[in-house]
Amino acid sequence: QTTYTQHKTQTSISGSSYTHTGLTGDITTASSSNKVLVRVCMNVAGDGSDRYLVSGRLYRGGSHVTDASASDNSSRPGTWFTVGMQVWSNYTRYNVYAEYLDSPGSAATHQYKVYLRDHRNNDTIWINRGYYDDNSGSNPVGTCSITLQEVAA
C-alpha cells in the first residue's frame, strides 16, 4: 500500500517548541513485521530580515520518532533534517527532502506528521510561502507532500 498527501496551505510556525506543520499522512500496515518508508518534501523559508535555522522532526501518532533523527549532542538537539540561512533576507526558499524507513511494530493504521521549529532565534518560519509573499506572478508558491509506502518484511 502507498498513500500520498499534499499540503498546500501557507503556514507560519514560531516559538521555541516543535510545532506540527499540518503535513500529515496515514497508512494501514498489513503485518506487524512490515515497515513504512516515509518520504517528505517540504517548501520552507524564514521570515523578514531575520536569520533562521529550520529543523524538522518526524512523529508517529503523538511521539517523536527518535530513530529518524540524529542523536542529541550535548546541548544540540538531533533532528531529521536541518536547513537555514545566515544572511539578512528572506529571499531564499528551500525545498527539503527527507526519508526514513520506520518499523511501527503493529498491523494497524499509523499516522505520520512533520514538526518544525527555528533553532536560530525561535523566530517565524514558513511553509508554502512565496518570495516576498505579495500577490505577483513573479512570486510562485510551493507545496509540501508526504508519501508513505508499506514495505513487506
Side-chain angles (χ1 to χ4, degrees):
Q1 179 190 16
T2 300
T3 66
Y4 173 84
T5 305
Q6 196 171 36
H7 179 71
K8 297 181 178 183
T9 304
Q10 177 178 290
T11 306
S12 65
I13 296 166
S14 59
S16 61
S17 299
Y18 281 91
T19 302
H20 182 228
T21 60
L23 182 58
T24 301
D26 297 310
I27 190 167
T28 302
T29 53
S31 169
S32 61
S33 61
N34 287 356
K35 298 181 183 302
V36 175
L37 180 59
V38 181
R39 292 184 176 126
V40 166
C41 184
M42 300 199 72
N43 184 279
V44 299
D47 186 45
S49 60
D50 295 319
R51 300 170 188 180
Y52 57 94
L53 182 62
V54 177
S55 64
R57 285 185 169 172
L58 178 64
Y59 280 66
R60 180 181 358 97
S63 300
H64 173 212
V65 181
T66 56
D67 286 346
S69 294
S71 298
D72 291 349
N73 182 350
S74 187
S75 63
R76 295 175 289 177
T79 66
W80 190 28
F81 60 82
T82 301
V83 65
M85 290 277 307
Q86 294 295 314
V87 298
W88 293 100
S89 72
N90 70 343
Y91 302 157
T92 304
R93 303 288 175 254
Y94 291 97
N95 201 28
V96 176
Y97 177 82
E99 67 179 24
Y100 177 68
L101 186 60
D102 188 35
S103 300
S106 65
T109 298
H110 305 284
Q111 185 173 76
Y112 292 87
K113 298 178 180 181
V114 178
Y115 283 62
L116 297 180
R117 72 166 283 197
D118 174 30
H119 273 282
R120 173 80 168 106
N121 56 11
N122 301 325
D123 205 357
T124 302
I125 52 176
W126 295 86
I127 61 170
N128 303 333
R129 182 175 187 242
Y131 177 83
Y132 273 136
D133 198 34
D134 66 358
N135 190 14
S136 167
S138 62
N139 297 316
V141 296
T143 67
C144 298
S145 63
I146 184 168
T147 302
L148 304 172
Q149 183 176 15
E150 184 175 17
V151 178

